[in-house]
């Protein structure tokens, strides 16, 4: 064969290989579960809701998933009720389709029990890593003998009762708390157009239970650290109260230093998936505290203004008396009105603080009075050793949960009213 013949043969071989590859792609690969899973990923990445619903029977998956979750002991009675009445399924369906369409989840404006539960089961955090295996319940019947021999080898030969060709797909998923360690088993069925659709997650209950347990461990460690921080902060405020019994500007400055240290330590903590509500409360605590300090500054400045006015009035009256003159009457500022406004702001700030305190107490529970607990936030260790937790927090499990979480509780924080500063003229 000459050079020309070799070139022609090479071109012919390339065309033949290209045709074989095209035949394999269009006659086999696009009709496989693997292709549909990859197409599903592309639909998610391109925000194509129609293609997503083509490859996923979302209603069937959510209904089955809700039934699996309702059967777990770790799910509380109130959430089981929402799982069974369909309200949680509807919420998840709407949120998932919104996420697919917009490329992100809805902005969470309020941490509701449903939102907490969604986070706790990994709804927003789970993603597909790779396909581990594909096992068909019924092999393909393609008109390509050599492909049939290859695809039917080592496959399950089970014939579904409904006559629909089905397959089980092992997909390795990523979830931040579990890493790449969990293999989700998806059930797929072949549709009339030869594409494949996911209609069930066989081991979702197992996955949900694993992630909920991990989240619970992370959350417990987080709560323990926050509780210690709040307790240490409260102790410092109590010590400041003894040092400076009355509220003045020095007391405010020292209080702000204590709160700043507390907030800096809390900011260093990694907020777990289940800790969004507690994190929001801690952020609100910080904001409310500094609002209160602003109110106290305003109250103290008002007192100084009233005192200056009273002193000036007394000096003017004394000077007039010495000269034997009658003092001209001047219009007196409406201090009562100003005092009322300041007191109203103080009352609102204190009300917000007490509400925040109450909500924190529901999560943190009691603050142990044992001195060994005040060793500092960094002394806590990230482990699940029950003995260590008991040593760090003796008696916490059985203590009275009504005990305060408020570093500025009534016995720590003196009452200040702008009305106490009214001038007596």
């Amino acid at each position: 064969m000459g050079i020309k013949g070799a070139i022609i043969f090479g071109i012919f071989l390339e065309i033949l290989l290209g045709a074989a590859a095209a035949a394999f792609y269009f006659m086999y690969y696009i009709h496989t579960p693997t292709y549909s899973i990859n197409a599903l990923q592309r639909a998610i990445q391109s925000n194509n809701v129609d293609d997503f619903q083509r490859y996923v029977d979302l209603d069937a998956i959510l209904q089955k998933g809700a039934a699996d979750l309702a059967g777990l002991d770790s799910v509380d009675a109130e959430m089981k009720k929402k799982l069974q009445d369909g309200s949680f399924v509807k919420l998840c369906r709407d949120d998932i389709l919104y996420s697919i369409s917009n490329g992100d989840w809805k902005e969470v404006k309020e941490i509701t029990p449903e939102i907490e539960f969604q986070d706790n089961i990994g709804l927003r955090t789970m993603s597909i890593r790779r396909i581990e295996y594909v096992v068909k319940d019924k092999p393909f019947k393609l008109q390509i003998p050599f492909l049939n021999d290859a695809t039917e080898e080592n496959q399950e030969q089970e014939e579904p009762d409904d006559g629909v060709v089905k397959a089980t797909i092992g997909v390795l998923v990523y979830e931040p708390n579990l890493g790449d360690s969990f293999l989700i088993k998806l059930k797929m069925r072949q549709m009339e157009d030869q594409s494949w659709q996911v209609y069930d997650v066989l081991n979702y209950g197992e996955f949900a239970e694993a992630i909920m347990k991990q989240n619970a461990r992370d959350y417990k460690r987080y709560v323990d650290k926050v509780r210690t921080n709040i307790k240490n902060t409260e102790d410092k405020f109590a010590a400041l109260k003894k040092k400076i019994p009355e509220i003045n500007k020095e007391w405010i400055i020292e209080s702000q230093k204590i709160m700043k240290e507390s907030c800096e330590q809390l900011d260093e903590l990694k907020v777990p998936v289940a800790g969004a509500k507690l994190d929001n409360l801690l952020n609100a605590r910080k904001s409310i505290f500094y609002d209160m300090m602003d109110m106290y500054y305003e109250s103290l400045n008002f007192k100084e203004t009233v005192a200056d006015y009273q002193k000036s009035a007394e000096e003017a009256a004394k000077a007039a008396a010495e000269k034997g003159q009658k003092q001209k009457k001047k219009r007196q500022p409406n201090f009562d009105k100003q005092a009322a406004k300041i007191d109203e702001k103080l009352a609102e700030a204190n009300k917000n603080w007490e509400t925040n305190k109450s909500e924190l107490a529901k999560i943190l529970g009691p603050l142990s009075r044992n001195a060994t607990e005040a060793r500092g936030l960094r002394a806590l260790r990230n482990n699940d050793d029950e003995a260590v937790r008991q040593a760090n927090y003796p008696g916490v499990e059985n203590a009275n949960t009504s005990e305060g979480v408020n570093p500025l509780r009534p016995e720590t924080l003196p009452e200040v009213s702008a009305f106490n500063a009214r001038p007596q003229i």
Side-chain angles (χ1 to χ4, degrees):
M1 180 186 296
I3 295 177
K4 185 176 180 181
I7 293 174
I8 294 174
F9 178 76
I11 295 173
F12 175 76
L13 185 59
E14 288 182 8
I15 293 173
L16 184 62
L17 291 174
F24 176 84
Y25 183 84
F26 289 107
M27 297 182 67
Y28 172 69
Y29 180 64
I30 64 173
H31 301 307
T32 63
T34 302
Y35 175 85
S36 292
I37 288 291
N38 290 329
L40 171 60
Q41 284 188 289
R42 290 195 298 271
I44 294 172
Q45 293 167 356
S46 62
N47 309 123
N48 191 324
V49 175
D50 291 336
D51 278 358
F52 174 81
Q53 292 183 296
R54 175 187 177 189
Y55 295 110
V56 176
D57 187 342
L58 188 58
D59 291 332
I61 290 176
L62 291 176
Q63 291 291 348
K64 174 63 165 43
D68 291 342
L69 290 169
L72 299 178
D73 294 336
S74 54
V75 178
D76 61 49
E78 187 63 28
M79 187 52 62
K80 284 185 178 182
K81 182 179 178 181
K82 296 178 186 296
L83 288 166
Q84 292 165 351
D85 66 16
S87 58
F88 185 73
V89 168
K90 183 180 184 304
L91 173 67
C92 290
R93 186 182 191 280
D94 293 344
D95 286 350
I96 289 172
L97 292 180
Y98 178 93
S99 172
I100 299 301
S101 177
N102 296 275
D104 202 356
W105 295 93
K106 289 180 182 178
E107 180 183 358
V108 176
K109 297 181 180 179
E110 180 183 1
I111 305 296
T112 63
E114 291 84 356
I115 295 297
E116 281 188 300
F117 191 65
Q118 284 182 340
D119 291 341
N120 205 18
I121 61 177
L123 181 66
R124 292 177 172 81
T125 52
M126 183 180 67
S127 59
I128 296 175
R129 275 296 196 222
R130 63 179 179 270
I131 298 172
E132 290 290 294
Y133 64 81
V134 178
V135 177
K136 296 189 298 297
D137 298 339
K138 184 178 180 180
F140 291 108
K141 297 299 182 182
L142 300 175
Q143 301 305 314
I144 309 178
F146 72 91
L147 285 179
N148 279 334
D149 292 339
T151 58
E152 291 181 16
E153 185 176 327
N154 297 325
Q155 302 298 319
E156 297 181 4
Q157 301 298 317
E158 181 182 350
E159 177 72 25
D161 293 338
D162 55 10
V164 177
V165 182
K166 298 178 181 178
T168 302
I169 316 297
V171 177
L172 195 66
V173 298
Y174 172 75
E175 204 291 323
N177 279 0
L178 295 178
D180 288 329
S181 60
F182 204 92
L183 190 70
I184 286 286
K185 298 175 183 178
L186 304 177
K187 201 70 176 177
M188 301 186 75
R189 58 190 169 207
Q190 194 170 34
M191 310 302 287
E192 291 183 0
D193 63 357
Q194 302 301 302
S195 65
W196 288 76
Q197 184 183 62
V198 181
Y199 70 93
D200 190 11
V201 182
L202 296 177
N203 59 337
Y204 179 70
E206 181 184 344
F207 168 78
E209 188 169 30
I211 189 175
M212 289 174 71
K213 285 181 178 179
Q214 182 61 48
N215 286 338
R217 287 191 289 267
D218 293 343
Y219 182 62
K220 179 66 169 64
R221 288 192 289 264
Y222 179 61
V223 169
D224 286 347
K225 292 179 180 181
V226 172
R227 184 189 295 112
T228 297
N229 176 284
I230 298 295
K231 172 61 174 64
N232 291 346
T233 302
E234 185 177 82
D235 289 345
K236 291 176 182 178
F237 275 111
L240 179 62
K241 171 68 162 52
K242 292 180 179 179
K243 180 181 177 182
I244 308 176
E246 299 296 330
I247 290 182
N248 54 31
K249 291 186 177 180
E250 182 185 1
W251 180 91
I252 293 175
I253 292 171
E254 294 302 316
S255 295
Q256 289 175 330
K257 289 179 181 178
I258 293 172
M259 181 58 74
K260 180 182 178 182
E261 181 183 8
S262 171
C263 293
E264 287 176 348
Q265 290 178 349
L266 291 173
D267 288 342
E268 292 176 1
L269 298 179
K270 179 182 178 181
V271 181
V273 171
K277 183 176 181 179
L278 178 54
D279 183 52
N280 283 354
L281 286 172
L282 292 173
N283 289 332
R285 167 181 174 264
K286 177 180 178 180
S287 176
I288 293 169
F289 173 85
Y290 285 108
D291 285 344
M292 291 175 68
M293 294 302 102
D294 289 343
M295 293 301 101
Y296 289 132
Y297 260 123
E298 186 175 349
S299 178
L300 291 173
N301 289 335
F302 176 74
K303 283 185 176 183
E304 292 176 358
T305 299
V306 171
D308 290 344
Y309 180 87
Q310 188 171 14
K311 182 179 179 181
S312 177
E314 289 174 352
E315 290 176 350
K318 183 178 180 182
E322 290 175 351
K323 294 179 181 180
Q325 299 176 350
K326 187 177 181 180
Q327 185 180 7
K328 295 181 180 180
K329 290 186 177 181
K330 295 182 180 180
R331 185 176 180 180
Q332 178 179 317
N334 192 341
F335 288 115
D336 281 350
K337 185 176 181 180
Q338 295 178 43
K341 288 182 178 179
I342 294 173
D343 271 3
E344 184 179 351
K345 291 179 182 179
L346 278 170
E348 182 65 23
N350 277 283
K351 179 182 177 182
N352 292 338
W353 183 267
E354 289 302 315
T355 300
N356 180 265
K357 161 193 165 183
S358 176
E359 292 299 314
L360 280 171
K362 292 177 183 178
I363 298 175
L364 298 179
L367 299 179
S368 172
R369 302 300 179 187
N370 194 311
T372 60
E373 194 177 282
R375 296 180 302 164
L377 181 67
R378 291 183 176 85
L380 292 172
R381 294 293 184 265
N382 285 331
N383 61 68
D384 296 320
D385 190 338
E386 185 63 25
V388 172
R389 284 203 297 274
Q390 288 297 328
N392 289 343
Y393 309 107
V396 166
E397 298 299 328
N398 299 318
N400 179 8
T401 58
S402 64
E403 215 163 31
V405 185
N406 184 0
L408 299 180
R409 57 193 182 188
E411 63 267 32
T412 305
L413 180 65
E415 290 293 330
V416 173
S417 170
F419 281 103
N420 295 335
R422 295 179 196 167
Q424 304 297 322
I425 299 177

